[in-house]
Amino acid sequence: MRLDAMYQEIILDHYRNPHHKGLREPFDAESHHVNPTCGDEITLRVLLKPADKESDGSAAIADISYDSMGCSISQASASVMADLLIGKTVDEAMAILDEFTALMQSKGQGEPDEDVLQDAVAFAGVSKYPARVKCALLAWMAWKDATAKSLATQRQEEAV
C-alpha cells in the first residue's frame, strides 16, 4: 500500500469514526472557531488538570471534546488532535502543535516526525493545498484558544 493511500485511510477512518466528538462536561473553557473560506465550524471544550507540585509545572490535558461540522479534513484533524493531546501536559501539547503547524506550512516539503505527530502525519499531503491547510488547523487553533482561556482562569483563581 502506498504511503499516500495509507494516510488517506487514516483521515477517512477518523472522519467516519470520530474520537472524542460530542461536547462533554465538566470543562474549563470553550472556544468556537469558523473557517470563513469554506464554512467549517468547531466548538471545542478543554478540561485541564492543574499542575501539581511534583510535575514540571505544566497543567495536564484531562479532556478535549468538540462538536463540529465541515469537510473530512477538518473533522478528522479534530479527532486525531484530541487523541494525541489528551493526557499530555500543556507544554508537551504546545510542542506538538508547533510540529503540526510547521508540517502544515511546509507546502508538501516537510519531513514529519512520526514519533511526535503519530496519526497526524497523515495530514502531510494536505500541506500541498493552501486552501485545505486552514481546514486541518481549525481544531488545533480552537484547542489553543480554549487552553489559553483555561490557563488564564486558573491563574486568576490562584491569585485570589
Side-chain angles (χ1 to χ4, degrees):
M1 180 183 269
R2 288 188 11 242
L3 194 58
D4 287 345
M6 185 180 77
Y7 285 170
Q8 188 174 25
E9 273 305 307
I10 291 170
I11 291 171
L12 288 174
D13 184 51
H14 277 275
Y15 173 65
R16 292 180 187 131
N17 305 295
H19 303 176
H20 310 285
K21 191 167 185 175
L23 296 173
R24 289 188 294 275
E25 294 190 17
F27 66 97
D28 297 325
E30 179 177 283
S31 182
H32 181 78
H33 282 219
V34 177
N35 180 349
T37 308
C38 64
D40 292 349
E41 290 188 46
I42 188 166
T43 300
L44 183 137
R45 291 178 175 174
V46 67
L47 177 65
L48 299 182
K49 184 176 114 183
D52 55 24
K53 304 289 186 236
E54 296 81 43
S55 74
D56 65 358
S58 181
I61 301 164
D63 193 29
I64 296 171
S65 64
Y66 62 93
D67 188 26
S68 59
M69 58 185 213
C71 69
S72 60
I73 292 170
S74 70
Q75 302 290 299
S77 186
S79 176
V80 167
M81 179 207 62
D83 275 352
L84 194 53
L85 301 186
I86 292 172
K88 301 281 193 296
T89 67
V90 171
D91 290 345
E92 291 168 335
M94 288 294 182
I96 294 168
L97 168 64
D98 290 345
E99 184 80 19
F100 187 74
T101 302
L103 176 63
M104 289 299 95
Q105 294 172 343
S106 73
K107 299 181 179 168
Q109 304 302 311
E111 290 294 326
D113 185 339
E114 194 169 345
D115 291 335
V116 174
L117 293 177
Q118 299 174 24
D119 277 357
V121 299
F123 296 90
V126 172
S127 70
K128 297 175 192 172
Y129 307 98
R132 308 304 285 172
V133 168
K134 287 182 181 179
C135 301
L137 285 172
L138 184 67
W140 295 78
M141 295 302 106
W143 170 79
K144 184 178 179 182
D145 185 34
T147 299
K149 290 176 185 177
S150 178
L151 291 172
T153 300
Q154 282 183 9
R155 282 192 289 279
Q156 286 177 346
E157 289 171 358
E158 288 172 1
V160 172

